[in-house]
Every structure is written in structure tokens, then in C-alpha cells.
Amino acid sequence: EGLARVACAGEVNGEVVDLRTVLDSDCELNIVTASDPEGLKVIRHTASHVLAQAVKRLFPDAKIAIGPAIEDGFYYDFEAEPFSREALDKLEAEMKKIIKEGHELKRYTLPREEAIKFMQEKNEPFKVELIEDLPEGEEISFYDQGEFVDLCAGPHLMTTKGIKAFKLTSSSMAYWRGDSDKARLQRIYGTAFNKKEELNAYLEKMEDAKRRDHNKLGREMELFTTVDVIGQGLPLFPPKGTKMIQKLQRWIEDLEDNEWGYVRTRTPLMAKSDLYKISDHWGHYKEGMFILGEDDEDEEGNSISGNDIFALRPMTCPFQYYVYKARQKSYRDLPYRMGETSTLFRNEDSGEMHGLTRVRQFTISEGHLVCMPEQIADEFKNCVNLAKYCLETLGLEEDVTYRMSKWDPENPDKYLGDAAEWDRVEGAMREILDDIGLEYTEEAGEAAFYGPKLDIQAKNVYGKEDTMITIQLDMFLAERFDMYYIDQNGDKKRPYIIHRTSLGCYERTLAWLIEKYAGKFPTWLCPEQVRVLPISEKYADYAEKVLAELKKNGIDATVDNRSEKIGYKIREARLDKLPYMLV
């Protein structure tokens, strides 16, 4: 009886299903409660339907789209006017009313044509499109709760009374099916838990996330800003933010060159399309590049007018390959480790832009290692060790997870090479990672088009995951660029290539650091490490002498020589999150 009261769903032969599912044969059965991730997901999915029902009651002209459960809650998309906080509060009140009414959720199915006609009569075009896109023979199920009916595969709670604690957290614009060419929708986010205490703990965590959000805090601390007339995803860095990136960059360059055996290169920010055609970025990545000028091409990609087409570089590898090729290399020159502080350009979708984590121009600690086959394992391990050292130095090592990103055999056209080559190189990478003793997951479809990679992942304060550092095995581009070395016997041999970053993108790393430390950075990274606070104007000359001594010793210091009271100066220094005040 106790289990029955807290049951949210069942798990039959590994599949989560409604409690209303009839068991008509032997099976492996598990009862799912709110303590299980899948049970919480069922609660949140039902809460999204209650939200849609509330929207249809208060905004009857709104058109419903989709409303899934997500990692920390749920959302539902509507074609409607933007929802204000006041509107969200009214919807919350209506949702509580619906929950109290205790509507039973009833599941039923309809044949395809009847299902389409049903949603057409309800004037719900997004649901009609979803049904039309379902494969022939697919079961089309609906859930009925009171006056509201929704197209849904489920599973759901038995009644709306099963939702104990919820909150609508925000609203934003979204595109139908994530396509910027399709309808603009309004997305309402919410969360739900089994207990009010759990909800309150989550909301408190979200308040802390808002305080740490780099997009807000970084602007308040004058670390970066953006301007509409310059463009989305093109941040400006005032002196404080510039100083922090400068410190990171100088540290990484000295570290790589002096301790890890790298040579430093400097290559152009743009190139003719010919370069990207050799690497095949033109074929696999052209949509993500900024093309300079317009020109017509024939079917083979040749310019019809004869004019050169240029593009801003989205990566540095093809450029550094020509640095390698500038002088013939022998086996004694390998491994040849090239490092560059590279400014790159990628034509990200406008809907993906966010603060410093997703931008169109960014700078990266990029490097390419050209190795003999027998060197590849040790060099790959060293790349992992360098990345881990950088993370440990910044205090970020506990915040990351490791992912081996593989090709997608279901879509071979996205990649160079064949299945046998990919299996061989992925197997080699797996051996290296296992030998290191790294804990990692594997994910298909996330590899670069020229080889598998190790992605070092981290989540922002809201739980969204991004790749911070990447280390890739390249099995194709050496041949495409005719790269070789002379072996001990005087024969030409193809090298292997590792693409890697030691710290990743400086902009994204700065965002990560802002959120990790809530602006209270380790002293060595602070753009202002010390502020000298003279008690009155008559000590200004002495304060300037102290400042000069600090700067002579490499300390980033300033003087607050305003004619303000010392208490006021101290409060301001604390708000600026300074590590040291000298009074």
C-alpha cells in the first residue's frame, strides 16, 4: 500500500510505462517512484501538460507545440504573445487550481487520419505537423485531462493531484523544431518535485546560479560587454577582462613553450577557399564559416568568374600544416609540437549565442602535434596530462567529465574515410584512455569529420554542458596535405596528427571562472590584486609610493585617492571582490 501511494510509473522489460498499463504476460517489472530519476521525469512531464491546460484556459488563442520533461524540470512551447512574469504568476495560480481539481489522465489512441482531423478541428497546426511526420503504422496516442487533450506518447501520472510542488521559472523565445526559418514560439520553463522542501532547495540553488551567471556578473564587474551595432557573439573586453585573458594567455604560452616542448607559430586570420577544399572543411563545414565576398561556383566548386574566394578561418590546422611543410622533417624532428594563440571565426546560429560561452569570434590555445605512429600514444597522454594540469592550476579539475566522441556509422557521408578506418582509430584511442585510467563515456556522432576526439566537458551554473577542451586524433589530413617525414631508412612516411587545446577557448574559460568563483578569483588571476586606500588626502603622496613599489614587483595595484571616507572605500573594494586592501 505504501509503494502504491508513491508509485509514479512502471518499468516493464526496461521500458518506462504508465501505471495504467495492463500486464498480460510474464515480464521484468520495476515500480518507479519520485525518488527515481524516471519517476521525477513522469511528474515533470505531467506538469508540462497541466501548464498547457492553464495556458489554453487563460490564453485560448495560443497554439500548443511541444512540452517535454528536461533534466531540471520541463518546458512547453506556444505560439502566443510573450509571457511576462505577471502572466507566469497567473498561470501558476491556474495550474494549482487544475491540480486541485484532480483530473484523471486518460490515454487513448486514434488512427492516423482521425488523429489529424481531430487536431485540425482543434486548430492546432503544430500537432497536425507532428502527426503527419510520424511513420506509417506508428501508434498515435492522446491524453485527456478534463477539457484538455494533448498528443503524447506518455507516460503520465494517474491524476493531476500527483503534482505536489512546482514553479514556473522563466520564459523565452524559441524556434519551432529549433529552426530559425520556422515559427517563433514562446517557451515557458518550469520545474517540479515530489516535496516542497526539494523544490525550495532547487530554487535556492537557482538563485545562487543567477548570482554567479557570467552573463550578468561579468558585465557588472566590467569584464566584458556587447554592443548591438557591433554584432551578436562579438564581445568587447574592457581593461579588467583584457587583463585576465592576457594573464591566462601568457601563462599558457610560457607553459607550452618552456615546459612542454612546443614551438610557437603565427598564421593568417583568413585564406582562399582553395586551402579549405584541400582539408575538406569547405565540403563539411562551409555553412559554419564566414565567406568574404560572393562568387558563383560550378558543380566542382571552381570559381566561374575566376576571382578568389576568401573565408575567415574556423580553425588553424591547415595553416600550421604548411608551417610543418616549409622545411623537410626527418624522424629526428618528431614529435613536432606547434602551438598558437589562434583567433577563430564561426558562424554560429543567432539562437545559440550566449554571453562568452557561445560567440562568433574567439581565441583558443590551439596546437597540432605531428608524430610518428609509435609516438602517438605517449603524445596523446601528454596532451591529456597538460590539460589536466591546466585544470588543476585553475581549480577546475573536479568540475569536468570526459567524453570519447565517435563517428556516426548511420551517417557516413558526414565523415572522411570508411568504417574500418574509424574502428581502428577509435580502438586505438580507447586503448590510450584505458591505459591512462581515465573515466569516460562514449558518444556517437560527436567526432570531427576527420577523426575521433576526447572532449573535456563542464556544465555552467544552469546545468548546460559545453566542451571546454578537446584532443583529437587525425587520420586523414596528413595525406590530403601531402605531409611526410624521412624515416631511419631514408624513406618518406606519413605522420599522425593530434589536434588539441591545453586550456580551450579563453572566452569560454573566463565565463567558467566567473561562475566557479562568483567573481572572487584566485589572486594571481585578478585584474586588480591590491587597492591602496589612503585614510585622507594628506597621505596621497605616500600611497603613490606604495603603489609604485607594488607595481615594480609585478603586482596589479591601484590607489583610491578620492576624498571619500575610508568606510566607503572599503565597501566599494569589497563589492569589487578585491583580494587585498591596504589601508
Side-chain angles (χ1 to χ4, degrees):
E1 186 183 341
L3 180 60
R5 280 200 304 272
V6 297
C8 295
E11 193 174 41
V12 178
N13 296 328
E15 181 185 355
V16 180
V17 298
D18 279 330
L19 289 173
R20 57 183 67 77
T21 302
V22 175
L23 300 182
D24 53 11
S25 61
D26 287 347
C27 62
E28 289 187 11
L29 174 65
N30 181 34
I31 302 299
V32 177
T33 74
S35 300
D36 303 307
E38 290 300 332
L40 200 52
K41 189 175 178 181
V42 171
I43 291 173
R44 290 168 173 172
H45 193 185
T46 305
S48 79
H49 278 226
V50 172
L51 166 60
Q53 185 175 5
V55 168
K56 292 299 284 186
R57 282 187 180 184
L58 300 185
F59 305 93
D61 293 334
K63 302 288 181 281
I64 56 176
I66 57 170
I70 53 178
E71 185 175 355
D72 285 328
F74 60 89
Y75 71 79
Y76 212 113
D77 289 344
F78 306 91
E79 188 173 59
E81 293 297 313
F83 295 97
S84 64
R85 183 65 245 182
E86 183 184 7
L88 296 186
D89 292 341
K90 288 179 179 176
L91 286 168
E92 276 189 13
E94 191 63 32
M95 287 176 71
K96 287 176 182 175
K97 186 178 170 184
I98 293 167
I99 291 166
K100 192 175 181 181
E101 290 167 1
H103 297 286
E104 183 183 348
L105 280 85
K106 302 172 185 174
R107 183 182 186 276
Y108 64 92
T109 61
L110 286 176
R112 185 187 192 82
E113 293 308 315
E114 283 186 40
I116 292 172
K117 184 181 177 185
F118 177 68
M119 280 302 177
Q120 284 174 336
E121 289 172 352
K122 284 189 165 291
N123 193 19
E124 297 292 358
F126 301 108
K127 298 296 183 182
V128 171
E129 184 179 326
L130 289 172
I131 297 169
E132 289 174 340
D133 287 349
L134 289 172
E136 290 289 340
E138 185 87 1
E139 184 178 72
I140 301 170
S141 59
F142 295 83
Y143 280 82
D144 177 319
Q145 56 191 63
E147 81 286 359
F148 179 73
V149 180
D150 202 353
L151 169 74
C152 188
H156 282 286
L157 298 174
M158 298 299 282
T159 77
T160 58
K161 279 190 174 179
I163 301 167
K164 307 295 185 186
F166 76 94
K167 179 74 178 173
L168 299 183
T169 53
S170 63
S171 66
S172 65
M173 190 274 289
Y175 291 111
W176 172 233
R177 293 188 155 181
D179 187 339
S180 58
D181 293 328
K182 296 187 185 293
R184 289 165 65 97
L185 306 175
Q186 301 302 318
R187 176 171 295 178
I188 297 177
Y189 286 98
T191 191
F193 289 87
N194 192 45
K195 298 176 182 176
K196 284 186 179 179
E197 296 83 358
E198 294 170 348
L199 174 64
N200 291 337
Y202 173 81
L203 295 176
E204 192 175 316
K205 178 184 166 188
M206 286 299 100
E207 283 303 310
D208 181 58
K210 287 178 186 175
R211 286 191 292 271
R212 291 173 178 269
D213 185 344
H214 86 275
N215 207 16
K216 176 177 179 288
L217 186 55
R219 295 172 196 271
E220 291 172 354
M221 294 183 68
E222 298 180 20
L223 298 176
F224 79 97
T225 187
T226 50
V227 182
D228 286 344
V229 295
I230 291 175
Q232 196 178 13
L234 300 170
L236 300 173
F237 292 92
K240 289 181 180 179
T242 301
K243 174 66 78 172
M244 287 191 70
I245 288 180
Q246 181 188 60
K247 288 185 176 191
L248 289 169
Q249 181 180 324
R250 287 177 174 175
W251 167 53
I252 290 295
E253 289 178 351
D254 288 345
L255 180 69
E256 290 180 348
D257 299 354
N258 299 335
E259 299 181 37
W260 291 81
Y262 283 75
V263 294
R264 196 134 299 273
T265 68
R266 183 177 171 87
T267 56
L269 300 181
M270 67 179 80
K272 295 195 298 185
S273 60
D274 304 46
L275 178 71
Y276 306 117
K277 287 172 184 173
I278 296 172
S279 65
D280 216 12
H281 284 100
W282 201 253
H284 286 85
Y285 202 79
K286 185 178 176 183
E287 294 303 312
M289 296 166 67
F290 287 103
I291 313 298
L292 304 181
E294 295 182 6
D295 201 344
D296 292 327
E297 295 180 340
D298 60 24
E299 291 181 1
E300 295 178 358
N302 300 312
S303 169
I304 292 172
S305 68
N307 295 330
D308 289 330
I309 305 171
F310 285 80
L312 297 176
R313 65 180 185 187
M315 63 288 295
T316 312
C317 45
F319 298 84
Q320 285 196 328
Y321 295 163
Y322 281 99
V323 172
Y324 174 86
K325 283 165 60 75
R327 183 178 66 83
Q328 182 172 282
K329 305 288 191 299
S330 82
Y331 68 95
R332 293 187 182 90
D333 298 310
L334 303 189
Y336 192 70
R337 309 179 188 99
M338 294 173 283
E340 182 164 338
T341 302
S342 306
T343 298
L344 306 179
F345 306 85
R346 295 186 183 173
N347 192 8
E348 300 279 5
D349 183 81
S350 60
E352 294 293 318
M353 299 294 107
H354 177 69
L356 297 178
T357 57
R358 186 74 66 172
V359 291
R360 287 178 170 148
Q361 176 184 311
F362 56 94
T363 302
I364 193 168
S365 59
E366 196 163 15
H368 297 89
L369 292 79
V370 185
C371 320
M372 292 186 287
E374 58 267 30
Q375 296 171 328
I376 200 77
D378 285 342
E379 289 302 309
F380 195 95
K381 289 174 186 176
N382 284 340
C383 290
V384 176
N385 290 335
L386 173 57
K388 291 176 79 170
Y389 173 77
C390 292
L391 292 171
E392 287 166 7
T393 304
L394 293 169
L396 301 170
E397 73 279 7
E398 293 180 0
D399 301 334
V400 301
T401 56
Y402 297 87
R403 180 184 78 191
M404 179 179 161
S405 297
K406 305 185 295 183
W407 83 315
D408 180 5
E410 301 295 318
N411 294 286
D413 293 344
K414 289 170 55 180
Y415 308 91
L416 299 175
D418 59 30
E421 291 171 301
W422 278 90
D423 287 345
R424 176 174 58 81
V425 177
E426 286 179 355
M429 179 180 280
R430 197 176 287 110
E431 255 183 56
I432 293 169
L433 298 180
D434 291 343
D435 194 42
I436 295 172
L438 207 62
E439 288 187 22
Y440 63 94
T441 59
E442 297 189 16
E443 192 158 339
E446 295 294 329
F449 69 86
Y450 48 78
K453 54 183 179 160
L454 174 68
D455 287 325
I456 302 179
Q457 305 287 107
K459 292 180 179 179
N460 69 9
V461 287
Y462 298 109
K464 183 182 181 301
E465 190 172 77
D466 281 303
T467 299
M468 309 308 294
I469 297 171
T470 187
I471 304 167
Q472 306 173 7
L473 281 181
D474 175 359
M475 50 187 169
F476 298 110
L477 296 186
E479 184 168 350
R480 294 183 75 91
F481 281 89
D482 191 27
M483 297 167 67
Y484 64 87
Y485 65 94
I486 305 300
D487 71 4
Q488 294 94 323
N489 301 319
D491 297 325
K492 288 184 177 181
K493 291 291 178 67
R494 291 280 181 231
Y496 281 56
I497 302 171
I498 299 172
H499 304 234
R500 49 99 274 179
T501 57
S502 50
L503 185 64
C505 165
Y506 287 104
E507 289 83 353
R508 190 173 284 182
T509 300
L510 179 55
W512 193 8
L513 289 166
I514 293 168
E515 295 187 351
K516 166 75 174 183
Y517 292 107
K520 296 179 181 178
F521 305 110
T523 302
W524 73 275
L525 261 181
C526 286
E528 184 184 0
Q529 296 165 322
V530 174
R531 188 175 297 173
V532 183
L533 308 177
I535 288 174
S536 73
E537 289 180 7
K538 66 182 180 179
Y539 300 115
D541 290 343
Y542 178 68
E544 290 294 338
K545 287 181 183 178
V546 173
L547 176 68
E549 189 70 18
L550 290 167
K551 285 190 168 183
K552 192 170 76 175
N553 285 275
I555 294 169
D556 290 311
T558 62
V559 169
D560 185 349
N561 52 22
R562 297 174 297 167
S563 55
E564 298 284 356
K565 290 184 178 180
I566 191 66
Y568 178 83
K569 292 181 181 182
I570 290 172
R571 278 194 302 277
E572 285 222 328
R574 282 179 174 161
L575 288 172
D576 288 342
K577 305 181 189 298
L578 295 181
Y580 289 95
M581 295 170 271
L582 301 187
V583 181

